[in-house]
Amino acid sequence: MSPAAQTPNGVATQTPQQREEVVTIYERSRPGRRAFSPPALDVPERPLDELLPPSLRRAAPPELPEIAEPEIVRHYNGLSKRNFDLDSGFYPLGSCTMKHNPKLHERVAALPGNARLHPLQAPARAQGALELMWNLERALAEVSGLPHVSLQPSAGSHGELAGVLLTRAYHADRGDERTLVLTPDTAHGTNPATVTMAGYEVVKVGTSPDGGVDLEDLRRKADDRVACLMLTNPNTLGLFDPNIEEIARITHDAGATLYYDGANLNAVMGISRPGDMGFDIVHFNLHKSFTQPHGGGGPGAGPIAVSDRIEPYLMVPRIVRSEDGEGGVPRFDLEEESPKSIGRLRGFQGNYGVFVRSYAYICSLGAEGLREASEIAVLNANYLLALLRRPEIAPYLPLAYGERCMHEFVLSGAPMKRDLGIRTTDLAKRLLDHGYHPPTVYFPLLVEEALLVEPTETETRETLEEFAEAIGAILREAAEDPEIARNAPYSTPVRRLDEAAAARTPVVRQPARG
Amino acid sequence: MSRYTSLTDEDLREMLAAIGVSSIDELFDAIPAALRLGRRLDLPEGLSEQEVYARLRAMAERNVSAEDELTFLGAGMYDHYVPALIDSILQRSEFLTPYTPYQPEISQGGLQVMFEYQTAISELTGLPISNASLYEGPSAVGAAAYLAKLANGRRDVVVSRGVHPHSRATLETLAPGYGQAVAEIPLIDGVTDLAALEARIGPDTTAVIVQQPNFLGAVEDLEPIVAAAKAVGALVVCACDPLPMALLRTPGELGIDVAVGEGQSLGNRLDYGGPSFGFFAASQEHIRRMPGRIAGETRDVDGRRGFVLTLQTREQHIRREKATSNICTAQVLNALAGVIYLSWIGKRGAVELAELMLRRADYARRALTALPGVRALHDQPVAREFALALDAPVAAVLERCAAEGVNAGYALGREYPEFADGLLVAITEQRSRADIDRLADVLGRAVAAERSTAMAGALS
């Protein structure tokens, strides 16, 4: 690879001339090569037709790669080098809480007693796993201020679906037909999508000039057709809504439930609890606040906690604890029967491997540590915000709402676009050349050219300062020559990709051979 | 200082000064005093890393895993061998720690993995398009019912009783939200009762859902089921077990619209039930109704080959309440394990592995049904797992086997009251002939012991 043309501080401004075209694992395949050697056939070899009639068999084997182990390893190691990741650099992706993923967690999740435990093992022989899940449930109940927990949902959006289906069951049980769910116009896209899947219609609630829920609009819309109000607090603008008690009152007076999207829980652990704010149902993103690695887009887990009135409808199986174990040791069991339960949302007991990691995290941090994590997350966000409010930056990237923030904040790139001629996406792409993952862009939707920045508590002060410097450098560069940012990135494995062409003529698999 | 943070006293002082506040507490001024917790969380104190390790190891040791016993338990997740190269590649931070590939220029590795995974799933199922991926098996079945709603908007989901009980339960949970009603078709001789199916379906049927092999391990003859469903204009959804698919007629060959399934057996650990992945493949006409992430190939501004998340206008972050699904988290890391596994077993190995399981399952079925008090619950062809009927209380037999370090399988009565005497036995490639012979010995003695106990009870 030839060296790229660089700015004085070492940031590329041109594309390296020669880069290899990538090949897929299928293109590396050659007939006759293999990695797997099957165990010896140690039973009588009866004719296949006697075991499985030809009418039930496929015409030809699947065209899987033919390739030896060394080349598989090189292929995927090669691909890994075409990814940016949290262990390699700063990842201030707003609303995603890209905090450090402790290495201990991988070790404990891989213990054979966890990794090779079958989900249908008799509960008497899975006591360690059930105790871990019970303890995690209790810890999440304490953090949320809501007493009953189900770990079952597999992601935040899955937890949302659980929450809205629980709401549906709660109203149905009282003979109360409701048709609408309220979401603020700042809501994450999963909220309205979930509402539709749960059979409700979405009604948007406006945002007040100070960034909170527009109370007048809420009062107008909260009537006896409304099943639920879905909120995050702090909201997606990074602001704690100080009117939350009034919001809860209005919602409950209308007979609706109040749902807490836990995407932003990292701001308030041990400081303020959704249950105490009046929420009935909360989901947690264990892959955000509780350190499950994101895996390039999963796995995660989205447990929910609920109040007493929602509890009868919780998913099965429930974990139950009794004191009648041998030698006074508590005994844990799975309860499948629960007459009012909405049932199951997936197989087995949920993403246990994620629970192990999150439980290890809670054990490591303890009560004080969780609070301090939230405190430092908010401190780091405000410090980075202060750095970005310097006069050479703020006029181009003003804070969208308020004066301070919780664990994240939203800047508007509208003045930057107007005055420097580069858009938020250009700033984001130029940040790639500086070695950063950009913030979340163009979300929330109500802020023009939005940048949603969440540094998390695990970043050092120096990292935040260097990031602010990079933003300043990109703005200065754009003032001189906006084309540089408009055409960025330069140093990445590929440059801007033609997404329109990909959608117009979708190529979503390797063309079949032959 | 909290674990995994770097804040020093000096940092704190200077950062607060830069912000213009005098304490961290002041940053939380927006939270009304009444909503401040005002006390410590009621949780234990934090522990050192070695203490946490010791504690979690002690808990893990209270579980009896597939490492500790000879297990024949399956029923939806299977103790297959996970090759070491998967552990090694999945622990690379570049795969383990990034978020969803929202910035494709720095996510080419993950996006290409998704593209390769989609290709492998497409090859296994014989269907042209695949996403990457859904949470796991039963929720993928639920997602298929939602695709049927988007495709034809009819009300009735008709599902075979041979579909995994957790998948059927998931359909029931989702039905009120989807505006669907779920009807179940009974089994006859271990497979879906075709006459009952034909009698039940009609113009209100949105989808017919079957499983291959079904929960009792039987390989279903899907051709007449597909024909019946198509005759009433319903979609056909098949939940497939991916490893036997190397031998079985593909959903594509059968004209099935949507193939879904649990991906755990493809290189994923048991992990007490998750995380794993759910695959989702469909015929071309459904491409714009697919749930979740799909990677597509394209070119960059310099003409270089690259990959992006494509057809995103289906998805929640753009289409919001009109999205084809609310799914946001895929199972990319688990799907990576899946595609590495499929590359590792390869084109020939996939067939060899499926044939090995077929032959050992046949051997085991013969050996076990030769035992007094044990017979086959059905005589259909099987691929890896088969159902027995015991002339003895199944729970008591399982306890006796467990006492000898053998987990003989899954008691079907847990989910099927009509098969209270049923035992489901899974034979993966990790169970050798010697292991099967040991199962036959232990199970035979356990059944005999329970029968003689019952006999003694009857006589006294």
Side-chain angles (χ1 to χ4, degrees), chain B residues 95 123 186 215 222 361 363 370 374 452 454:
Chain B
F95 287 131
E123 282 294 333
F215 191 73
L222 295 175
Y363 174 81
V374 179
S452 66

Side-chain angles (χ1 to χ4, degrees), chain B residues 430-441:
Chain B
Q430 300 217 74
R431 303 293 93 86
S432 67
R433 177 178 184 159
D435 295 335
I436 295 166
D437 292 344
R438 174 159 160 71
L439 170 65
D441 173 43

Side-chain angles (χ1 to χ4, degrees), chain A residues 36-43, chain B residues 352 356 360 429 431-433:
Chain A
F36 168 68
S37 45
L41 182 67
D42 50 6
V43 296
Chain B
E352 290 163 357
L356 179 71
R360 283 194 183 155
E429 81 289 359
R431 303 293 93 86
S432 67
R433 177 178 184 159

Side-chain angles (χ1 to χ4, degrees), chain B residues 183-344:
Chain B
E184 203 167 275
I185 303 301
L187 298 173
I188 184 165
D189 297 333
V191 291
T192 308
D193 183 341
L194 182 63
L197 176 83
E198 285 170 339
R200 181 60 187 80
I201 57 176
D204 292 333
T205 306
T206 184
V208 170
I209 305 183
V210 291
Q211 182 174 310
Q212 183 74 314
N214 71 23
F215 191 73
L216 302 183
V219 178
E220 298 252 5
D221 181 4
L222 295 175
E223 203 168 293
I225 294 175
V226 174
K230 298 265 169 186
V232 299
L235 259 59
V236 188
V237 175
C238 184
C240 325
D241 188 341
L243 285 179
M245 288 312 297
L247 289 180
L248 298 175
R249 268 187 94 181
T250 65
E253 287 169 318
L254 286 157
I256 286 168
D257 300 275
V258 180
V260 295
E262 171 57 60
Q264 178 270 332
S265 58
L266 303 177
N268 278 260
R269 318 195 290 216
L270 287 165
D271 277 336
Y272 199 45
S276 60
F277 67 91
F279 59 86
F280 195 110
S283 55
Q284 192 69 38
E285 62 180 295
H286 298 300
I287 188 162
R288 284 167 207 277
R289 300 187 187 108
M290 296 281 281
R293 311 295 188 193
I294 300 176
E297 185 175 336
T298 188
R299 297 267 155 192
D300 79 355
V301 290
D302 296 334
R304 281 187 189 80
R305 184 185 198 181
F307 301 89
V308 291
L309 290 177
T310 194
L311 302 168
Q312 292 194 68
T313 51
R314 299 166 296 114
E315 290 194 66
Q316 46 77 28
H317 59 286
I318 295 182
R319 191 58 71 84
R320 299 179 75 84
E321 65 267 23
K322 295 191 178 68
T324 58
S325 168
N326 70 339
I327 195 167
C328 186
T329 302
Q331 302 289 115
V332 174
L333 195 70
N334 305 92
L336 169 62
V339 71
I340 298 170
Y341 184 81
L342 288 169
S343 302
W344 181 75

